[in-house]
């Protein structure tokens, strides 16, 4: 009887240890959707959708061409960011602030805590939505930005 009790306790300890290890491994996935509290509060002001899972790397043109496929999904996009008065968007190619073709870009909702330079090449992670279309509803959709992926300098 004592042997069965010890075996049962060891089984529970093993199950607990495996659960903890799996949780740690899943939690360390850098591609898993993660949003800090301040960013989450900021994006909630705009009624941004919430997503889970992992970020899918997508071209800006693909988002624009297939909005229904990506609407409300966690995505990662790269391009050139413009940040100026009434203009916060990312484009696949460098654009002039005052003559940018809005239909080729994605409006970006980025917390002021994030440091994105004007006309910098960036990679952004967040949720794509067609419900928010930027200032004057001039863009095909928006990126509710969770994070800026750091650039790796060679």
């Amino acid at each position: 009887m004592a042997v069965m009790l010890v075996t049962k306790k060891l089984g529970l300890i093993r199950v607990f240890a495996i659960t903890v290890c799996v949780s740690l491994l899943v939690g360390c996935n850098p591609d898993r959707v993660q949003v800090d509290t301040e960013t989450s509060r900021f994006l909630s002001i705009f009624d941004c959708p919430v997503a889970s899972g992992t970020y899918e790397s997508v071209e800006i043109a693909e988002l624009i061409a297939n909005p229904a496929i990506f609407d409300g999904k966690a995505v990662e996009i790269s391009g050139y960011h413009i940040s100026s008065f009434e203009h916060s968007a990312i484009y696949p190619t460098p654009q002039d602030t005052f003559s940018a073709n809005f239909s080729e870009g994605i409006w970006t909702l980025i917390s002021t805590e994030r440091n994105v330079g004007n006309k910098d090449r960036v990679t952004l992670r967040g949720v794509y939505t067609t419900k928010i279309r930027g200032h004057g509803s001039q863009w095909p959709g928006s990126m509710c930005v969770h994070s800026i992926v750091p650039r790796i300098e060679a």
Side-chain angles (χ1 to χ4, degrees):
M1 183 117 154
V3 172
M4 287 178 56
L5 188 58
V6 170
T7 306
K8 197 174 196 178
K9 282 186 178 179
L10 284 175
L12 289 175
I13 291 171
R14 258 190 232 135
V15 168
F16 177 74
I18 290 170
T19 303
V20 168
C21 289
V22 168
S23 297
L24 288 172
L25 288 173
V26 169
C28 293
N29 181 351
D31 293 331
R32 197 175 115 247
V33 173
Q34 298 177 7
V35 187
D36 64 64
T37 305
E38 289 301 313
T39 300
S40 183
R41 282 188 195 135
F42 170 77
L43 295 175
S44 70
I45 295 168
F46 302 98
D47 213 13
C48 284
V50 177
S52 60
T54 58
Y55 295 100
E56 180 179 348
S57 185
V58 180
E59 297 293 325
I60 294 170
E62 191 175 355
L63 284 178
I64 294 168
N66 303 294
I69 293 172
F70 298 104
D71 198 20
K73 301 271 173 49
V75 297
E76 176 182 285
I77 58 175
S78 295
Y80 296 86
H81 193 266
I82 291 180
S83 180
S84 65
F85 180 68
E86 297 178 345
H87 193 165
S88 177
I90 187 168
Y91 298 90
T93 59
Q95 302 279 320
D96 180 66
T97 304
F98 301 104
S99 62
N101 184 348
F102 301 149
S103 66
E104 293 178 359
I106 302 294
W107 182 260
T108 54
L109 294 163
I110 300 178
S111 169
T112 55
E113 305 276 314
R114 308 280 180 210
N115 185 14
V116 181
N118 190 30
K119 300 184 181 179
D120 283 352
R121 178 149 177 84
V122 296
T123 298
L124 305 176
R125 285 182 167 177
V127 177
Y128 179 71
T129 180
T130 57
K131 293 171 183 59
I132 305 166
R133 298 188 56 225
H135 180 71
S137 295
Q138 299 176 83
W139 285 264
S142 291
M143 176 77 139
C144 298
V145 178
H146 295 164
S147 63
I148 301 164
V149 179
R151 290 186 65 183
I152 298 171
E153 300 296 328

